[in-house]
Amino acid sequence: MNTVMTNQTEQVLTIGEVAALTGVTVHTLRYYEKAGLLEVPRLSNGQRRYREMDVKAVEFIGHLRRTGMPIRAILEYADLVRSGKDTSAERMRLLEQHRDNVARELAEQHKHLVGITAKIEWYRAALDQADSSDARLTETLTATASTP
Amino acid sequence: MNTVMTNQTEQVLTIGEVAALTGVTVHTLRYYEKAGLLEVPRLSNGQRRYREMDVKAVEFIGHLRRTGMPIRAILEYADLVRSGKDTSAERMRLLEQHRDNVARELAEQHKHLVGITAKIEWYRAALDQADSSDARLTETLTATASTP
DNA sequence: GTTCTCCCTAAAGTGCACTCTAGGTCAAGC
DNA sequence: GCTTGACCTAGAGTGCACTTTAGGGAGAAC
């Protein structure tokens, strides 16, 4: 009465297959597990077998990592998931906080990008000038350039 | 005839002032200089004095760094600037390449952000459900959650 | 039966960008 | 004249996220 029918057809993947599927190296997958981000079931010989939920977890960790969340913070989240208690509210809060940080960071980066683009435009203007001018002017342009 | 009137009123700043102005620490400013990104004039006693163009350079380095350009790459750019030759075209090419990389990266991060937001929405829906339900359902939700 | 390929662990190494320390100089203010 | 605070250098240390190494095990393929 306690052992509910488990899905026999669930496919499991080796670490190499997960690496190929997700783009995360085999080394890094093991590293994540040692860091406590994952808990992957093993065969009796010790080999990892990733269920679909493990692969999904790897992908979600990818979202967090690629947006700059430190391993430490992801670990906090993972610990909440595994705590057994209903920590949904807190987990959501963590994610929202991270999302806000990332949004801020993206806005920041966009501003920096504008600065870079301005410089590119400055070069373009300078080169256009040089094209329709003589060599002396080109010299002057590069010498007096306002902080190229 | 060679020494053109130089602007007497140009203000110069100490390293501490530049740090306060740009948000880059004193340590990092010296580090950038040792790395070859900057060449700041000195007083006879060795103290740095930043001209406006030096401050502008610090700010531009900030744009590049904060968008992830490695010090090495910034150094390449700085070397081109100092090379004496007209390297405008190449410098522009470097900046354009970086700009494209950053744009790609921002798009990537935006995709990851969408993944994170989806998870947050999943939590919000789960918590809404739990609000209008009893404790047992809450339990079930956290237990059967698809890769929380 | 040995070669190949994948898998395993523990631990050391790497690369990057700072960041800090130790030991000092120098000018201004009390 | 001495304390304070800002500056200087060379070099060591830090934190992070991998990445590599060393030394193996296990099962399929020839």
Side-chain angles (χ1 to χ4, degrees), chain B residues 64-115:
Chain B
L64 298 176
R65 280 295 304 126
R66 296 290 305 275
T67 48
M69 185 184 271
I71 300 278
R72 245 179 253 280
I74 302 177
L75 183 57
E76 267 183 64
Y77 178 84
D79 284 345
L80 284 177
V81 172
R82 285 191 295 254
S83 73
K85 284 170 287 184
D86 179 1
T87 53
S88 313
E90 187 167 1
R91 285 185 256 161
M92 188 171 91
R93 204 182 49 69
L94 284 184
L95 292 186
E96 284 177 332
Q97 198 173 303
H98 178 59
R99 179 200 56 193
D100 294 348
N101 288 344
V102 174
R104 247 191 303 281
E105 179 64 19
L106 287 185
E108 274 278 298
Q109 296 211 1
H110 193 264
K111 273 196 276 184
H112 292 299
L113 201 51
V114 169

Side-chain angles (χ1 to χ4, degrees), chain B residues 25 27-28 31-32 45 47 65 68-72:
Chain B
T25 70
H27 281 315
T28 301
Y31 168 75
Y32 283 170
N45 66 10
Q47 291 201 5
R65 280 295 304 126
M69 185 184 271
I71 300 278
R72 245 179 253 280

Side-chain angles (χ1 to χ4, degrees), chain A residues 89-138:
Chain A
E90 187 167 1
R91 283 184 257 161
M92 188 171 90
R93 204 181 48 69
L94 284 183
L95 292 186
E96 283 177 332
Q97 199 173 302
H98 177 60
R99 178 201 56 192
D100 293 348
N101 288 345
V102 174
R104 247 190 303 281
E105 179 63 20
L106 287 186
E108 274 279 298
Q109 295 210 2
H110 192 264
K111 272 196 276 184
H112 292 298
L113 201 51
V114 169
I116 293 166
T117 303
K119 180 73 81 177
I120 291 172
E121 287 311 318
W122 183 89
Y123 275 121
R124 199 184 309 286
L127 288 171
D128 281 359
Q129 271 289 48
D131 277 351
S132 60
S133 182
D134 63 39
R136 277 227 319 290
L137 180 53
T138 307

